Amino acid sequence: MWNLRAIPVSVSPRTTLYSAKVGPGVGVGGAGVGVGVGVGAGGALPVIEEVMDFATALICAEAVGAMKFACDTTLEYLKTRKQFGVPIGTFQALQHRMVDMYVAYEQAKSMACLACSKSDASTGAKDRARAVSAAKIKIADNARHISQEAIQLHGGMGMSEELKVSHTFRRLTMIAQQFGDAEHHLERFARNG
């Protein structure tokens, strides 16, 4: 058991990805091997892996929310933008692309729910690691698909700073790399199989 009051913690402001937001930077001093937990197989490593799995599951849930926003924003744009006197959402080719985005979103949502439930349950470490890695692989792939389609369906305006969908594209790109990319998690999934 750790005495958390004995570990010095500092909080300092920092600038995030978009420079407009300021978030906290948390530093933990004195938290090393000297705290009393070894790094070996029976020491801190299982705890670190559990925390990383929990954080990965949470970032997957954030990605699902961003994908939902991208889908909803794009659908609204297709309903309002007119070309040849009709909304572009009436064109069948664009409807098919929109349906593909929603299918990818639903798949990602299901995988994120699985990862969160396995992280929250008291199942074995291997089972948890496989579920979280599977979710991260699927969500990284679907995040790329949805964000790229959203940009394409918005046309040239999709990458402008004025539209929030461009910020969503950047955030989903960062989420795909955070806590290990799809290649890392594919290797981890195979290793825990």
Side-chain angles (χ1 to χ4, degrees):
M1 197 89 189
W2 289 11
N3 181 2
L4 296 179
R5 296 182 199 275
I7 300 173
V9 177
S10 63
V11 179
S12 59
R14 66 175 175 83
T15 305
T16 61
L17 176 66
Y18 301 118
S19 300
K21 299 177 182 177
V22 176
V26 178
V28 179
V33 178
V35 174
V37 177
V39 184
L45 189 57
V47 175
I48 292 169
E49 286 178 346
E50 184 177 359
V51 169
M52 289 298 290
D53 284 344
F54 192 76
T56 304
L58 291 177
I59 206 76
C60 286
E62 180 187 348
V64 168
M67 285 186 252
K68 174 75 169 145
F69 173 80
C71 287
D72 290 348
T73 303
T74 304
L75 181 61
E76 186 60 34
Y77 180 78
L78 293 179
K79 288 179 180 178
T80 57
R81 171 77 165 96
K82 291 190 176 189
Q83 190 70 33
F84 308 114
V86 296
I88 62 174
T90 61
F91 302 140
Q92 192 174 27
L94 299 184
Q95 290 174 358
H96 289 208
R97 290 173 77 174
M98 197 69 231
V99 167
D100 288 343
M101 288 174 64
Y102 271 102
V103 167
Y105 159 72
E106 288 294 334
Q107 289 173 341
K109 185 168 87 170
S110 295
M111 292 303 290
C113 287
L114 175 68
C116 288
S117 67
K118 292 290 185 180
S119 293
D120 201 29
S122 60
T123 60
K126 261 188 165 180
D127 191 31
R128 182 191 67 239
R130 278 182 60 84
V132 169
S133 287
K136 185 66 191 283
I137 293 164
K138 190 63 175 170
I139 286 171
D141 185 45
N142 288 4
R144 181 190 49 77
H145 170 71
I146 289 172
S147 60
Q148 287 177 353
E149 284 290 328
I151 295 297
Q152 284 289 312
L153 292 173
H154 275 83
M157 287 294 296
M159 281 306 291
S160 67
E161 289 290 322
E162 289 82 22
L163 292 182
K164 290 181 182 178
V165 75
S166 68
H167 299 278
T168 304
F169 172 80
R170 288 187 221 135
R171 183 62 190 145
L172 286 171
T173 302
M174 291 301 299
I175 286 172
Q177 301 300 315
Q178 198 169 3
F179 302 123
D181 62 358
E183 188 175 315
H184 164 77
H185 282 282
L186 189 59
E187 180 183 310
R188 185 174 183 240
F189 183 82
R191 187 174 58 237
N192 286 304

